[in-house]
Amino acid sequence: MADRKSEQNDVLSKPKEVITSFDPPKPAKMNKYAFACAMLASMTSVLLGYDIGVMSGAQKYIQKDLHFSDGQIEILVGILNLYSLVGSAMAGRTSDWIGRRYTIVLALAIFFVGAILMGFATNYAFLMIGRFVAGIGVGYALMIAPVYTAEVSPASARGFLTSFPEVFINAGILLGYVSNYAFSKLPKHLSWRFMLGVGGVPSIFLALGVLGMPESPRWLVMQGRLGDAKVVLDKTSDSLEESKLRLIDIKEAAGIPEDCNEDIVKVSKQSHGEGIWKELLVHPTPTVRHILMAAVGIHFFQQASGIDAVVLYSPRIFEKAGIHKDTPQLLATIAVGFVKTLFILVATFLLDKIGRRPLLLTSVAGMIVSLMSLGVALTIIDHSDHKITWAIALCIATVLSYVAFFSIGMGPITWVYSSEIFPLRLRAQGCSLAVAMNRVVSGTIGMTFLSLYKAISIGGAFFLFAGVALMGFVFFYTLFPETQGKNLEEVEQVFGTFFRWRSRQAELNMKKEAAQK
C-alpha cells in the first residue's frame, strides 16, 4: 500500500517537473555592486563634459573682458584637447603601475588644480597654463574610466555600464551650459571666472568616493593578487560560475596556469607591460592590427564628424542662424545639452539589447542627414538679406536631431567598443592610443572651426562634416564585428580577418553550437 502511494506520488510529481522545465529562464538582475563601481568611475568624465559645455558660453565673456581675438579664442577653446594627450599618453603606464583606481584619483586632483588656475587667471598666458594642467587631468580621466568600467563589468551588462563615461560627459556638458546661464548675469570680469572655477568642486567629492571602490580584477591578476581579484569578481559577476570563468580567462590572458589557485603568485615580467608598444605598433599580428584600426578609427570619426564644433560653438551657430541675443542663445544651447543627455540615457539601455553595430550605423546615418540639412539651412540664411523663420527653426531642429543621433550611437559606442576589443595585456596602452586620436581630432576641430567657417562658409563647414560622417559609415559597415554579449577575452577571436569578419563570426557560431550539443 505504501509502495502504491509512493508510485502515485511519483506520477503526480512528474507533470510538475515537466511544466517547470518549460518555464522561461529569468533574466539576470543588474549587479548593483558592479553598477555602483561603474557609475562612480565614470563620473570622472563629467570633468571633460563640463569644460566643453562651459567654454561654449564662457568664451564670449572672456573675449569681452580680456579683449582676445577670434584666433586666440579658438585656440584657447580647443587646446585643452591637445593638452589632454599628455595625460592619456601617461595614463596607460600609470594605471598599470599604481592601479586603475588611484589613476582616477590622480586625474581628479590634477583637474582640480587646473580649474582653480583658470578661475584666477588674469591674462592669456595664465589661462593657457590652467588649460594645460586641466587638460592632463582630462586625458587621464578619459582613458582610465572606460578601461576600469569594462574590466569590472559582467559580460551581460558591459555595454550598458561601459557607456556610462559618455553619459557623464553629456551630463557635464549640460551642467556647463546651465552654469553659463546661471553666472551670465554677473559682471563680465567675474562671470567667466565662476563658470570655469566651479568645475573643480566636484573633483574633491569624486576623489573621496573613488577611494572606496575596489581595484580592477584584471589589474589585480596582473599583479599576481589572485585572492583579491577573486573577491572582486565574486561581487561584480552575475553568478559564482561566471566569476570562476572570468578568473580563468583573465589568468590565461596574464600567462598564469589555470590550476594555480594561490592567493599570491609571481607574474612574468611580460605581463607588466614590457614590449607592449612594440606589439601594438612595430610588429602587430593581423588581429592586433585589426583591433587597433577599429579602435583608433572609431575615435577619429567620432570627432571628425563635427560634434565638438556643434557643442563648443553652439551659441555662434545660433547667432549665424539669426538668434542674436545672449539669453535666447544660452537657452537654445541648454536645449542642446538636454537632448544630448536624454538620448545618451536611452542608448545605455539599448546597447546590450540591440547590439553595437545596429545602433552605430543608425546613429551615423541620422547624423549625415542632420548635418546635410543644417548645412542647407545655414547656407540659405547666409545668402538671404531678410529673416527666414522656417530656416531658423530648421537650424535649431537639425542641431537637436544631430546631437540626438550622435548620443544614441556614435557617442557611447566609441568608448564601449574601444575599451572592450583590446586583449588584457594591450588594453591600457591600446586605449590610450585611441583616446589620443580622439583628442587630436577634437582639438583640431575646436581650434580651427571659426577659421574654417570663415573660409568656406558655415554651411560649407557642415557639408564637410557630413562627408566625413559618410566615410565613417562605410568604414563601420565593412570593418566592425559585433561584440555584444561576448566576454572580453573572447572578443579578439572575431578580429584579424578585416573585411571577412562575417565568415569568421559564422565559423565561431557553428563551433559554439557544436560544443553545446
Side-chain angles (χ1 to χ4, degrees):
M1 190 71 180
D3 290 342
R4 189 175 298 172
K5 285 183 178 179
S6 176
E7 288 175 5
Q8 289 174 348
N9 289 336
D10 289 341
V11 171
L12 290 171
S13 66
K14 284 180 182 178
K16 292 181 182 178
E17 290 176 9
V18 172
I19 292 170
T20 303
S21 67
F22 282 99
D23 288 343
K26 294 181 180 179
K29 292 183 179 179
M30 171 62 66
N31 186 300
K32 293 180 181 178
Y33 191 77
F35 178 89
C37 292
M39 176 169 283
L40 198 53
S42 301
M43 281 183 181
T44 58
S45 301
V46 167
L47 308 181
L48 174 62
Y50 184 85
D51 186 85
I52 292 172
V54 82
M55 283 304 292
S56 71
Q59 58 181 279
K60 295 183 68 174
Y61 300 97
I62 294 172
Q63 191 168 24
K64 290 176 182 177
D65 184 28
L66 302 181
H67 309 292
F68 296 158
S69 65
D70 277 353
Q72 288 177 306
I73 286 294
E74 65 181 354
I75 291 174
L76 185 68
V77 169
I79 197 68
L80 180 134
N81 296 301
L82 297 186
Y83 288 154
S84 70
L85 288 173
V86 178
S88 62
M90 296 167 63
R93 190 66 180 126
T94 303
S95 66
D96 281 346
W97 177 40
I98 65 174
R100 311 321 195 204
R101 183 178 57 162
Y102 285 116
T103 303
I104 294 173
V105 174
L106 180 62
L108 293 166
I110 294 172
F111 184 84
F112 174 78
V113 174
I116 297 301
L117 288 174
M118 287 189 291
F120 284 99
T122 54
N123 53 46
Y124 194 75
F126 201 156
L127 260 174
M128 289 294 276
I129 292 172
R131 301 291 283 166
F132 175 73
V133 176
I136 294 176
V138 165
Y140 267 104
L142 273 179
M143 199 290 290
I144 198 58
V147 169
Y148 175 88
T149 306
E151 292 182 346
V152 82
S153 303
S156 63
R158 192 175 63 246
F160 173 66
L161 297 179
T162 315
S163 65
F164 279 13
E166 183 67 16
V167 171
F168 284 105
I169 287 176
N170 283 273
I173 290 171
L174 180 57
L175 287 173
Y177 288 159
V178 172
S179 176
N180 287 336
Y181 183 74
F183 294 117
S184 62
K185 306 301 181 184
L186 294 176
K188 64 182 180 181
H189 68 284
L190 291 178
S191 58
W192 65 268
R193 297 181 189 280
F194 274 92
M195 293 174 187
L196 297 179
V198 164
V201 175
S203 302
I204 302 170
F205 300 102
L206 284 174
L208 294 174
V210 168
L211 289 173
M213 296 188 330
E215 186 49 82
S216 156
R218 287 173 173 80
W219 183 81
L220 291 169
V221 171
M222 289 169 65
Q223 307 305 306
R225 295 164 56 183
L226 298 186
D228 292 338
K230 184 179 181 301
V231 171
V232 177
L233 286 170
D234 287 346
K235 291 181 177 180
T236 58
S237 298
D238 292 330
S239 65
L240 291 177
E241 290 74 16
E242 185 193 8
S243 173
K244 291 175 183 177
L245 290 173
R246 288 174 71 187
L247 183 58
I248 290 170
D249 288 339
I250 297 169
K251 286 196 293 187
E252 181 182 355
I256 299 172
E258 182 181 331
D259 58 357
C260 180
N261 294 313
E262 298 176 15
D263 286 347
I264 304 292
V265 299
K266 187 176 181 180
V267 180
S268 62
K269 289 183 179 180
Q270 194 176 14
S271 295
H272 286 282
E274 288 76 2
I276 288 178
W277 290 112
K278 186 182 291 185
E279 187 175 346
L280 274 172
L281 301 174
V282 182
H283 301 297
T285 62
T287 297
V288 171
R289 191 180 296 118
H290 189 182
I291 288 172
L292 190 63
M293 184 185 300
V296 173
I298 194 170
H299 276 273
F300 170 81
F301 283 110
Q302 186 201 50
Q303 294 299 328
S305 54
I307 185 61
D308 274 6
V310 172
V311 175
L312 282 169
Y313 295 104
S314 50
R316 290 185 185 245
I317 294 170
F318 292 132
E319 184 178 7
K320 286 287 181 180
I323 303 173
H324 298 293
K325 293 183 179 179
D326 284 359
T327 299
Q329 283 179 16
L330 293 176
L331 289 174
T333 301
I334 289 175
V336 171
F338 178 77
V339 169
K340 202 168 184 298
T341 305
L342 176 65
F343 277 86
I344 191 69
L345 291 173
V346 173
T348 60
F349 292 99
L350 298 177
L351 277 167
D352 288 312
K353 294 180 180 178
I354 296 178
R356 283 48 157 169
R357 275 179 59 84
L359 274 181
L360 181 62
L361 295 175
T362 302
S363 168
V364 178
M367 289 165 59
I368 293 167
V369 174
S370 299
L371 286 167
M372 291 293 292
S373 302
L374 179 59
V376 169
L378 286 170
T379 301
I380 290 172
I381 292 170
D382 208 24
H383 289 80
S384 176
D385 56 0
H386 61 279
K387 190 174 183 179
I388 306 176
T389 305
W390 69 265
I392 295 172
L394 182 60
C395 283
I396 296 172
T398 51
V399 167
L400 295 177
S401 68
Y402 171 73
V403 298
F405 276 113
F406 177 88
S407 292
I408 209 165
M410 178 71 99
I413 291 173
T414 296
W415 303 100
V416 172
Y417 203 87
S418 61
S419 64
E420 70 185 357
I421 60 178
F422 283 103
L424 168 65
R425 214 165 56 77
L426 306 178
R427 188 167 299 136
Q429 284 81 358
C431 286
S432 70
L433 282 176
V435 172
M437 174 59 75
N438 188 291
R439 294 299 88 199
V440 166
V441 180
S442 176
T444 302
I445 296 294
M447 291 192 297
T448 60
F449 180 69
L450 297 181
S451 301
L452 177 67
Y453 83 63
K454 288 176 182 177
I456 64 173
S457 80
I458 191 161
F462 287 105
F463 287 135
L464 177 63
F465 293 142
V468 174
L470 181 60
M471 289 190 290
F473 184 93
V474 175
F475 178 76
F476 301 141
Y477 183 81
T478 55
L479 281 171
F480 273 50
E482 181 59 75
T483 58
Q484 177 193 16
K486 294 180 175 64
N487 291 325
L488 290 175
E489 281 67 38
E490 294 174 346
V491 166
E492 61 182 295
Q493 295 179 32
V494 296
F495 284 88
T497 53
F498 298 93
F499 300 103
R500 299 188 301 276
W501 64 266
R502 290 173 179 81
S503 58
R504 174 62 176 162
Q505 181 68 70
E507 180 185 333
L508 290 171
N509 289 340
M510 289 176 63
K511 286 182 179 180
K512 182 177 281 190
E513 289 174 5
Q516 289 174 349
K517 292 178 182 178

